[in-house]
Amino acid sequence: MTTAPTTPATLADLTGTWTLDATHTRIGFVARHAMITKVRGSFNEFEGTAVVDGSNLAASTVQVTIQATSIDTRNEQRDGHLRSNDFLALEEYPTIAFVSTGVQATGATSFDLTGDLTIKGVTKSVTVPFEFEGAATDPFGNLRAGFEGSVTINRKDYGITWNAALETGGVLVGEKIALEFEVSAIKSA
């Protein structure tokens, strides 16, 4: 008689190496536009891994590399501008990177992930609160875990300073950018 694998229910149950499933993960952002609305976008090409130590969560590590050229706001003209030297300067800085420096449990299914975020050659420490949404074995036998998190950064901290003044006052692009993460990770065998 065989025993079915146990589905992880808490962070302590996630020990192992996990790979981001790019087809089921969204790395997105939200920026204020013209001071009255929001523009949402995402990066469509990235890779990442997490090595989780369930008995000592602080010893866990996460690494993510984003191909900045994959930026997608559903508007080609805007995407072209975001790829230019006014914003991400992709010819010089083709990737955005995150490397963890610490993980701290904040509950049985929540944690703060701290790390170095590098955008346009500038590295700053950020802490992203995450929630473990659960785990399940998919129809192909892969153990998957889901996580959601978000953090707000100031784009000027990363040297992204371009803007245009509006006739009615204010500016075209807000300084604060919300980064959103909806993660599906697959456990390595």
Side-chain angles (χ1 to χ4, degrees), residues 127-151:
T127 298
V128 184
F130 271 95
E131 187 68 33
F132 170 49
E133 298 295 327
T137 301
D138 69 19
F140 307 103
N142 298 308
L143 180 58
R144 293 179 172 274
F147 305 89
E148 287 188 14
S150 66
V151 66

Side-chain angles (χ1 to χ4, degrees), residues 27 43 45-47 64-70 94-97 181:
I27 297 177
F43 293 96
E45 296 176 27
F46 51 85
E47 57 187 26
V64 178
T65 302
I66 300 168
Q67 298 304 315
T69 191
S70 72
T95 60
I96 295 170
F181 308 95

Side-chain angles (χ1 to χ4, degrees), residues 4 8 24 33 38 44 53 69 75-76 95-96 105 107 116 125 132 135 140 146 148-149 152 162-163 175 189:
H24 294 98
H33 179 260
K38 295 178 181 177
N44 297 325
D53 183 338
T69 191
N75 180 295
E76 192 55 45
T95 60
I96 295 170
D116 292 331
S125 180
F132 170 49
F140 307 103
E148 287 188 14
T152 299
W162 183 91
N163 225 328
E175 292 179 15

Side-chain angles (χ1 to χ4, degrees), residues 58-177:
S60 302
T61 60
V62 176
Q63 169 273 309
V64 178
T65 302
I66 300 168
Q67 298 304 315
T69 191
S70 72
I71 196 167
D72 181 4
T73 64
R74 301 181 314 142
N75 180 295
E76 192 55 45
Q77 183 178 0
R78 179 173 46 231
D79 294 347
H81 192 200
L82 292 172
R83 291 180 183 114
S84 77
N85 288 341
D86 285 345
F87 287 93
L88 295 174
L90 296 188
E91 287 188 21
E92 189 173 353
Y93 307 104
T95 60
I96 295 170
F98 177 85
V99 177
S100 67
T101 57
V103 182
Q104 181 176 348
T106 56
T109 61
S110 59
F111 61 98
D112 285 346
L113 177 62
T114 300
D116 292 331
L117 176 64
T118 303
I119 302 173
K120 201 174 175 181
V122 177
T123 302
K124 299 279 183 184
S125 180
V126 297
T127 298
V128 184
F130 271 95
E131 187 68 33
F132 170 49
E133 298 295 327
T137 301
D138 69 19
F140 307 103
N142 298 308
L143 180 58
R144 293 179 172 274
F147 305 89
E148 287 188 14
S150 66
V151 66
T152 299
I153 63 170
N154 186 320
R155 65 187 178 89
K156 287 186 172 186
D157 292 344
Y158 294 89
I160 304 171
T161 59
W162 183 91
N163 225 328
L166 300 174
E167 289 180 18
T168 57
V171 292
L172 185 62
V173 183
E175 292 179 15
K176 294 184 179 184
I177 308 296

